[in-house]
Amino acid sequence: MFKNIKECRSWLLLWSTQSLSTLGSSMTSCALVLWMYLGSGSALKTAMLSVCSYAPYVLMSIFAGALSDKWNKKATMLVCDLFAAATTFAAFLLIKADALMPWHLYVINALNGLMNTVQQPAGEVAATQLIPKRFYQQTSGLRSFSQALNSIIAPVLAASLFAFGGMGVVIAVDLVTFSAAFITLMFFIPIPEPPKKGGREASLMESVREGMGWLKHNPLILKLIIFLAGINLVASAYNAALPAMVLSKTGNNETALGIVNGCVGAASLIGSIIASALPAPKSRVKAICMALFFSMSTENFILAFGSSVPWWCAGAVCGWIFIPLMGANLDVILRSTIPAEMQGRVYACRNTMQFFTIPVGFLAGGALVDSVFEPFMAGRNDGSALTVLFGSGKGSGAAMFFAVLGVAGVAVCTVFTLILRREKE
């Protein structure tokens, strides 16, 4: 892939160790979903874990990116990682004291989300500084590859460790992987700072306005962000409903949920290899639209009308196989267009606008499944048309909700494909 691996050696070291740490964090997230849903039986309470993670990320990103442009990128990443590890260790101590409560996890997830808010734009700028421009698409494919591999491995390992030793063992593994990544970043990876323009340093609010102003004068990027905000609304509602449907329809079988999530990872893994190997498309915007349209027009409908693990796995594959290709093309557009000295504040504005729909989707998805679709389907007779389509009993309401999400996803893709057709890359 790389003709001269030395050109990307620092980034490859950062990518590999951070991916290992992400694996530990993903295992903890999977185990928390199991712990919360098995304990409460509520899609909304489980979805609140993700809401608490994303809420500070959305609310504070626009300011965090401006600060990230001012601060040393490596130091920012190290401090944020250390603070997040401290909150995870606090959860470990609560488990050992047999005192862990759901509200503890909400607070911990909120604090971790806040740290990620500051770290993410710093990490994006660091990657831009470490990667030669001609390798943007390949390295984006590798990032998708590691994310996909984690998606395959994390649910299996989390379910196994959770069954073996509970949350305490999962968190202990998370802390070990964090330590490896932290030490490597601190001592073995130099991260150069991007050049800064001369003159008076802008204030925090001036930096925020500069980031928003840049997006205002680059309508293609702005429209792509709004498009993905709509997709994230649908996708987060999907994530809120998936555990409720799979666990309910399989008698709380954690392995079934792990298999479906593993297929998501396998599809993403294959897709990331495709994204890394393919040449640059003639139109990256068109590639993004086509990938998302295929995902939205297949997965949710297959989940809605399927009634077994093989069907749900097929839906997961259709929904995720082209997402890495979408992500790689979006990544190239952003890194190639946004000036390095402004990437922190622009990425942060992007994060606020693109990801604010995620906590909204999680809340809406969990609430609609618990309070609308499940009660509605519970009152259906076994011979009705709806029970033929979506099944009966607990979980059938979530299945019906997936059909609604399928229609919504196709509508979002259709509208924005027509809008973006007028834009020039």
Side-chain angles (χ1 to χ4, degrees), residues 113-129:
L114 183 62
M115 290 301 101
N116 189 42
T117 301
V118 180
Q119 185 197 46
Q120 193 269 343
E124 294 289 356
V125 177
T128 300
Q129 295 302 107

Side-chain angles (χ1 to χ4, degrees), residues 315-394:
V317 171
C318 290
W320 289 90
I321 193 165
F322 293 124
I323 294 301
L325 185 63
M326 179 279 296
N329 282 287
L330 178 65
D331 191 60
V332 173
I333 291 174
L334 295 178
R335 291 191 192 281
S336 301
T337 307
I338 306 171
E341 70 275 6
M342 287 194 66
Q343 281 189 4
R345 69 200 83 170
V346 176
Y347 269 110
C349 293
R350 185 280 300 262
N351 292 346
T352 295
M353 298 174 66
Q354 182 177 323
F355 300 131
F356 85 94
T357 53
I358 292 180
V360 175
F362 270 109
L363 278 173
L368 287 171
V369 169
D370 281 352
S371 303
V372 179
F373 286 91
E374 287 292 341
F376 177 79
M377 286 301 295
R380 301 299 98 187
N381 296 323
D382 288 343
S384 68
L386 291 177
T387 58
V388 171
L389 289 173
F390 306 115
S392 59
K394 192 169 175 60

